[in-house]
Each structure stands twice: as C-alpha cells, then as structure tokens.
Amino acid sequence: NAGVTQTPKFQVLKTGQSMTLQCAQDMNHEYMSWYRQDPGMGLRLIHYSVGAGITDQGEVPNGYNVSRSTTEDFPLRLLSAAPSQTSVYFCASSYSIAGANNEQFFGPGTRLTVL
Amino acid sequence: SQQGEEDPQALSIQEGENATMNCSYKTSINNLQWYRQNSGRGLVHLILIRSNEREKHSGRLRVTLDTSKKSSSLLITASRAADTASYFCATDANDYKLSFGAGTTVTVRA
C-alpha cells in the first residue's frame, strides 16, 4: 500500500491565485482530514470528512474548500491564496468513521509559499 | 484553539538517557495520542491511551494519563540518535476532531 499520498510536495503561488492540493489514500479509510502546520503552533485542523459526500469544518476553515466524491480522494482547494496561507499542509486518514478515536496516518506534506 | 500543550518546548539529552515530556489539556477527552515528526516529514503515530487507561507501554515508550489533572506524559527510555524529532500530543474530545499541541523538540546528542 502507498498509504497517504500528497501532491505536490512544494508549491509557490502569488497572492490571489487558486490551486488544489491533492490527497489520496489506498487503505479504504472512511475518515480523512487536512491540517496546516505553522512554526510554534502545532497542527490545526482545516476540514475533515467522515465518508464520501460528507465534509465538515475544523478549527481554521476560512479560505479553504474541500469535497469528498470518493473514499480515496480528499482534495483541498485554496480559493484565493493569501500570504497568511503560507504553511505546510498535511492530509491524514483513519479507518474509523469516528476519526479521532483511532490512529491517524499522515501524508508527507505539501509546503506552500504564497508571495 | 489548541487543546493540548506540551512541556518542555525543547529538550536536549545524551544518548542512553531517558527523555520525559508532558502534555496538559483543557477539556474531557475520549483518548490521547502521541505522534513523532522527524524533520521535514509527516507525523507518525506512536501510542494511543484511552481515558479509562492510566499507563501504556510500547517498546521503549511509556505513556501515562491522569484525567484528574488533565495531563499525560511520554517517557522514552535509553534514547538513541534516531529519537531526535518533535513529539506531539493530540486529544480526542469525542467530536470527530483531533486537537494537537505545539510539540516538544527532542535532540539526542551522541
């Protein structure tokens, strides 16, 4: 199994541009989530999904959209990039629909810089 | 807002010594998890302890949980250079969301 994969690994955007960060998992996990990691702040939850067609907001959802059309994929869209969105983004998945009740499997991350 | 807070923020120890880090949290939890992150990599799950458990072991790792004090500790025994990493606690308040602390950076000196 490839586990959780994320593309791209690195991205530089200009303010106002939009883009989609891709996340896929091949473990048939119901629960998927997106976090951002900023220096000294740990990980903050952006959005999560408990199954195909179901998404909900986390702690810092503004400026981001998600959709879950399949069990495998959970893309994160930046609608109009801002310098404050410069961060490292991690996708994670868990086999349990309760999500946080079990081990999370993390992808390698996408390092995004917004100029 | 972040639920868990780790202490200390940074720790430097000699190879072979034990490393202890603590996590405090604010609200009732369903479980508490510890993760490791090597520089530039994703997080790796280390251990999960449920609210009705007080202590758990996994190899050289020992985790304790005191729900009355809303705190947990992670002990790494006989540290190795490969243990150099950041360690994060994460809490599940039974609301589908895992809340992470800011982490403890551990450096193991040869």
Side-chain angles (χ1 to χ4, degrees):
Chain A
N1 286 350
V4 180
T5 58
Q6 291 184 239
T7 56
K9 286 195 170 88
F10 301 93
Q11 183 70 48
V12 178
L13 291 177
K14 293 182 180 176
T15 296
Q17 286 185 315
S18 62
M19 80 157 295
T20 299
L21 307 185
Q22 301 292 344
C23 173
Q25 52 89 11
D26 61 358
M27 297 173 282
N28 203 32
H29 285 174
E30 292 292 338
Y31 184 93
M32 295 185 74
S33 55
W34 276 102
Y35 294 87
R36 59 177 289 173
Q37 184 176 32
D38 301 298
M41 297 192 71
L43 277 76
R44 290 182 292 169
L45 182 65
I46 304 171
H47 286 285
Y48 67 97
S49 168
V50 297
I54 306 169
T55 64
D56 206 344
Q57 296 181 347
E59 184 186 351
V60 288
N62 292 342
Y64 307 94
N65 271 359
V66 292
S67 60
R68 185 96 179 271
S69 56
T70 67
T71 300
E72 295 77 21
D73 300 297
F74 191 42
L76 177 73
R77 281 182 286 278
L78 279 70
L79 308 172
S80 177
S84 60
Q85 293 179 305
T86 293
S87 189
V88 182
Y89 291 84
F90 289 99
C91 179
S93 72
S94 172
Y95 75 86
S96 168
I97 195 169
N101 195 33
N102 291 277
E103 173 185 356
Q104 305 286 307
F105 292 81
F106 280 83
T110 294
R111 283 146 185 80
L112 175 68
T113 301
V114 183
L115 302 174
Chain B
S1 61
Q2 288 177 282
Q3 161 83 300
E5 292 185 8
E6 289 93 341
D7 172 64
Q9 288 186 333
L11 185 58
S12 180
I13 56 173
Q14 201 75 27
E15 204 165 19
E17 292 180 339
N18 295 343
T20 300
M21 60 210 85
N22 303 296
C23 171
S24 59
Y25 57 92
K26 298 169 187 168
T27 63
S28 296
I29 60 170
N30 187 38
N31 70 68
L32 186 144
Q33 304 177 33
W34 285 92
Y35 288 82
R36 184 188 73 232
Q37 184 181 35
N38 292 94
S39 181
R41 309 290 292 271
L43 279 73
V44 174
H45 182 264
L46 294 176
I47 199 162
L48 181 153
I49 186 164
R50 302 202 184 274
S51 60
N52 61 352
E53 298 175 309
R54 291 296 167 259
E55 188 171 312
K56 212 161 180 182
H57 296 255
S58 177
R60 293 184 296 113
L61 305 179
R62 173 178 168 253
V63 167
T64 62
L65 179 64
D66 187 334
T67 53
S68 67
K69 294 181 179 177
K70 291 187 170 59
S71 68
S72 174
S73 68
L74 171 67
L75 167 68
I76 305 172
T77 60
S79 63
R80 306 166 181 168
D83 295 327
T84 293
S86 292
Y87 293 82
F88 296 88
C89 70
T91 53
D92 164 31
N94 207 24
D95 59 356
Y96 298 95
K97 303 171 190 174
L98 202 57
S99 180
F100 284 81
T104 293
T105 300
V106 175
T107 302
V108 181
R109 307 186 306 272

